[in-house]
Amino acid sequence: MRKLKLLSVASEAYPLLKTGGLADVTGALPEALAREGVSVKTMLPGYPAVLEALERPRTVWKVTDLFGGPARVLAGQGGGLDVLAVDAPHLFARSGNPYLGPDGRDWADNAVRFAALSRVAADVGLGVVAGFRPDVVHAHDWQAGLAATYLHFAAGKRPATVMTVHNLAFPGKFEPGLLGTLGLPVAAFGVEGVEFYGAISLLKAGLVYADRITTVSPTYAAEIRMPEFGMGFDGLLRARAGVVSGILNGIDTDIWNPANDGLIPARFDAGNLGKRAANKAALQARMGLAVNPEAPLFAVVSRLSWQKGIDLLLAELPELARHGAQLAVLGSGEAALEARMAGAVAPGRIGCVIRYDEALAHLMQAGADALLVPSRFEPCGLTQLCALRYGCVPVVSRVGGLADTVIDANAAAVSAGVATGVQFTLEQLGAAIARTVTLYRDRRVWSAMQANGMKADVSWAGPARAYAALYRGLVG
Ligand code: ADP
């Protein structure tokens, strides 16, 4: 099989820089793709954190004026990735959050900053770096949305392009007067092009001009063609339905491995689930809950946002209490929800830690009985994949990747011995809590669900195979 060369373009990649799930995907896929015969170079903005991490950087291309200043492409290894960093100090030599200034607002020149990333990606796609001409340019989210656009309007032979949407809620919307500044032809403006309700959307640019569109679960791929989930892009996605597909995310099964996890008090596997009891007790103590092995312990590990349905959960706290259940919440996000969650703390029954805490997230998954995910929409969701791996039964709303990764414990699935969790529609959250507690009280059924979940393949192997097949289909 011929080795494929891929240029992955994104604004973040773990471990170099991460603000969300996007970084997990762009950071993990290259290694998994290597096993599928796809060699990946990852193009990132030359933020300070990225440049500092580059080992033995070499300048492989220079340009005197990239949207108002000189720039070069630095090649090197960083964080286990083969990186091409766009070193453009006038755009990227800013520390802190990659999108926001110190005042917490978007940098005023974000359109230009990410157009620059995409412009250089397109140029690399066209072969400006000696010895590297990618077969496919794979752009992630709006920050890389213009890569396919520039390639579409370029003369001559170009690589195939793939646009992946990690969350349609971020359109990368800017004022229409920027068209010329971004180097886009007049022909690109209009409903058939980058125009989005009178503005320019860099995400739409990618969705219009990429050869293929993917998103991070099959169900989300179907949902986003409907007005309820389409965020204004559903018409376009219906028109392009033939090139839209969903490929699930995976998780790093070395980092998330309960048999070998240094962040939890008691390591375990599917064969000795009894050891989870020590983790449950540790979690109860940590969260100020009564240390009671019999109480069903629900956990939430989440951004606290409207998307994640945290307000819906708050409304169901009496239902949890009615069933003698406990709740442990780890999350941060919208100030109002943080305050409401903190205000809901009830010693012995409801505990809450408001921050991002990777280590505590491991203890939550290892010690809680069930992980509650009442999302209104969920492109893929990673937290339920971690839960499956840790014998923590996911209780999830039936949307997006949650629908694709959890097998509901309905009568048929229980009798066939394949159930891994509970699914609900949002208006049934209370009933789902009741149903989960009933399942929990049936020890035989519950441990079968835990064991089934732990057997599920949540690694990157399957997704990498699917991406490799997609690339090969494009290249021929
Ligand atoms: P999203 O990317 O929409 O926030 P995902 O479920 O796809 O949601 O990915 C978020 C990841 O970050 C999950 O693995 C989740 O467990 C983790 N996470 C979310 N909030 C926290 C937190 N406060 N502390 C630790 N991990 C968190």
Side-chain angles (χ1 to χ4, degrees):
M1 206 166 30
R2 180 167 86 85
K3 202 141 177 100
L4 276 192
K5 282 185 271 180
L6 182 84
L7 179 67
S8 168
V9 191
S11 61
E12 45 185 282
Y14 182 83
L16 298 173
L17 192 110
K18 169 173 167 170
T19 70
L22 165 65
D24 289 322
V25 178
T26 54
L29 253 183
E31 193 191 325
L33 280 170
R35 282 183 227 115
E36 300 298 325
V38 180
S39 74
V40 182
K41 289 194 194 294
T42 302
M43 174 161 286
L44 295 165
Y47 308 122
V50 171
L51 298 183
E52 280 157 26
L54 278 194
E55 295 156 28
R56 292 184 303 280
R58 295 174 296 120
T59 300
V60 294
W61 190 55
K62 272 186 187 171
V63 57
T64 49
D65 182 9
L66 179 69
F67 295 96
R72 57 185 179 158
V73 174
L74 292 171
Q77 295 290 311
L81 301 172
D82 201 352
V83 175
L84 295 177
V86 180
D87 181 24
H90 62 297
L91 301 172
F92 300 125
R94 307 172 197 179
S95 49
N97 185 291
Y99 316 114
L100 311 174
D103 57 358
R105 297 160 64 132
D106 288 352
W107 290 109
D109 58 349
N110 269 355
V112 166
R113 296 172 77 219
F114 296 106
L117 172 71
S118 303
R119 178 68 259 174
V120 176
D123 289 333
V124 171
L126 294 167
V128 298
V129 170
F132 179 64
R133 183 182 267 275
D135 300 295
V136 180
V137 172
H138 187 164
H140 296 271
D141 274 354
W142 71 264
Q143 296 89 351
L146 284 177
T149 311
Y150 292 132
L151 284 167
H152 173 86
F153 288 104
K157 187 175 170 327
R158 67 163 179 87
T161 52
V162 177
M163 178 78 208
T164 292
V165 187
H166 297 264
N167 190 338
L168 209 54
F170 301 102
K173 206 169 145 187
F174 300 96
E175 50 120 346
L178 282 169
L179 194 76
T181 308
L182 300 182
L184 295 170
V186 175
F189 199 71
V191 284
E192 307 284 306
V194 303
E195 182 186 351
F196 186 60
Y197 301 97
I200 291 174
S201 159
L202 301 195
L203 177 65
K204 188 180 172 206
L207 298 178
V208 168
Y209 294 109
D211 297 322
R212 291 293 298 261
I213 298 166
T214 76
T215 186
V216 288
S217 69
T219 293
Y220 193 60
E223 286 169 345
I224 58 179
R225 293 172 221 167
M226 300 186 283
E228 304 90 288
F229 293 96
M231 309 271 178
F233 296 102
D234 47 291
L236 165 62
L237 291 165
R238 279 195 299 280
R240 299 211 69 200
V243 298
V244 179
S245 60
I247 299 176
L248 281 169
N249 289 334
I251 57 171
D252 186 323
T253 46
D254 293 326
I255 293 174
W256 291 97
N257 179 2
N260 177 27
D261 185 334
L263 298 169
I264 58 177
R267 298 186 241 307
F268 61 97
D269 57 36
N272 56 22
L273 278 167
K275 291 195 177 171
R276 288 184 97 258
N279 296 321
K280 180 169 176 177
L283 178 59
Q284 285 170 322
R286 173 79 177 73
M287 286 284 179
L289 306 171
V291 179
N292 172 1
E294 300 302 321
L297 171 50
F298 287 80
V300 171
V301 183
S302 179
R303 282 188 293 120
L304 301 182
S305 72
W306 183 84
Q307 175 193 337
K308 302 292 181 179
I310 301 301
D311 52 319
L312 306 173
L313 168 67
L314 283 159
E316 294 298 343
L317 295 182
E319 186 66 12
L320 280 167
R322 216 163 65 76
H323 294 284
Q326 298 178 336
L327 176 67
V329 177
L330 169 62
S332 62
E334 291 167 18
L337 286 172
E338 287 187 353
R340 286 180 66 194
M341 204 64 247
V345 166
R349 287 197 306 108
I350 301 176
C352 159
V353 170
I354 303 283
R355 64 158 182 271
Y356 190 93
D357 186 333
E358 201 86 32
L360 182 52
H362 283 243
L363 179 61
M364 304 272 289
Q365 301 283 14
D369 297 305
L371 182 86
L372 203 46
V373 192
S375 299
R376 287 187 164 92
F377 66 95
E378 195 61 77
C380 178
L382 298 175
T383 188
Q384 84 280 11
L385 301 181
C386 302
L388 287 170
R389 184 129 169 97
Y390 275 63
C392 179
V393 172
V395 178
V396 302
S397 58
R398 190 178 294 124
V399 292
L402 300 173
D404 292 331
T405 54
V406 174
I407 302 174
D408 178 64
N410 55 45
V414 169
S415 101
V418 296
T420 61
V422 171
Q423 290 192 354
F424 56 88
T425 53
L426 285 177
E427 58 280 7
Q428 299 167 338
L429 174 53
I433 289 169
R435 191 152 74 90
T436 304
V437 173
T438 304
L439 289 162
Y440 172 77
R441 301 267 182 232
D442 185 334
R443 280 303 141 107
R444 198 181 50 79
V445 169
W446 190 260
S447 28
M449 286 168 69
Q450 289 178 293
N452 290 340
M454 293 181 81
K455 272 187 265 161
D457 182 2
V458 292
S459 76
W460 276 105
R465 226 173 291 132
Y467 279 112
L470 177 91
Y471 303 146
R472 288 192 192 283
L474 274 170
V475 171

